[in-house]
Amino acid sequence: MTELATQRQAETAAKGPKPKATLNGARSFWLKQLHSWHWISAAVSLVGMILFAVTGITLNHAASIPGNPVTVEQTATLPAPLLARLAAFPQETTDPVPDAVARWASEALKVEIAGKPTETTPEEVYVALAMPGGDGWVTIDRSNGDALHEKTTRGWIAYLNDLHKGRNAGSVWFWFIDVFAVACTIFALTGLGLMFLHAKGRPSTWPLAALGLLIPVVIALIFIH
């Protein structure tokens, strides 16, 4: 009887720690995974988060930040052979200018208009050259070949603000914003997971998290109409 009791005690002792060991093993696994994804997503999105945080402030105070627009104009005359080729261009169209004309503009005016849509009329060809932090355009008079390029820049703050908004920044920046947003989401969710795992030893975790939700909700309900 004593031997049987001893055997049962041994079996109980052997089985007892397993649930705790399993729990600790699972917790260790998730801690490792969350830490890995958290620091990787933080590294990928670090510079972007600083950029978007700072430009969030500059955009919020855009009316208080003085701008100093600088406008530069360039003129040139389209050579006769290219003017003749432009004469064969449709009278009204949004098609890009012929490649030869685009190459000439790149050399003479230092501006890239290849593949860009135009606003063509019988009198002139107009190409809009929107860009972050400024604007620009090129016109070519179809009667005499006179070309004018005007470029206006509004400084680095305006440039960075437009990057924040994705304004006229092109398709590559468009996709960068999506990738950056995914990295920030992973960073936030893994941070939430780490908070959950460490909350037992940090009693202020959930009150602070709730405060972070409550503040914008109260502001939106009371002060935004």
Side-chain angles (χ1 to χ4, degrees), residues 81-148:
L82 293 180
L83 183 59
R85 181 173 295 188
L86 199 60
F89 201 53
Q91 293 295 297
E92 294 187 2
T93 184
T94 58
D95 292 343
V97 297
D99 291 342
V101 175
R103 286 194 296 271
W104 171 83
S106 178
E107 295 173 2
L109 299 172
K110 308 302 180 187
V111 62
E112 297 299 328
I113 61 175
K116 296 185 181 296
T118 65
E119 295 178 25
T120 299
T121 66
E123 293 75 31
E124 70 174 12
V125 177
Y126 173 89
V127 184
L129 299 171
M131 66 193 77
D135 293 289
W137 47 266
V138 170
T139 59
I140 304 174
D141 191 313
R142 300 185 70 171
S143 63
N144 56 22
D146 287 348
L148 172 64

Side-chain angles (χ1 to χ4, degrees), residues 60 178 213-214:
N60 201 39
D178 280 354
L213 171 64
L214 184 63

Side-chain angles (χ1 to χ4, degrees), residues 44-61 157 159-167 169 172-184:
V44 170
S45 59
L46 174 62
V47 174
M49 280 194 287
I50 294 172
L51 169 66
F52 279 80
V54 171
T55 51
I57 296 173
T58 56
L59 279 169
N60 201 39
H61 296 273
I157 293 179
Y159 177 81
L160 294 175
N161 284 348
D162 282 349
L163 289 185
H164 183 112
K165 295 181 288 187
R167 177 180 177 270
V172 175
W173 187 260
F174 171 87
W175 288 110
F176 165 77
I177 290 178
D178 280 354
V179 172
F180 166 72
V182 170
C184 287

Side-chain angles (χ1 to χ4, degrees), residues 18-40:
K18 283 187 178 180
K20 185 175 181 180
T22 302
L23 182 62
N24 288 338
R27 186 175 188 277
S28 177
F29 170 81
W30 284 111
L31 274 174
K32 183 177 180 180
Q33 291 296 317
L34 290 171
H35 273 296
S36 295
W37 283 98
H38 193 65
W39 80 259
I40 291 171

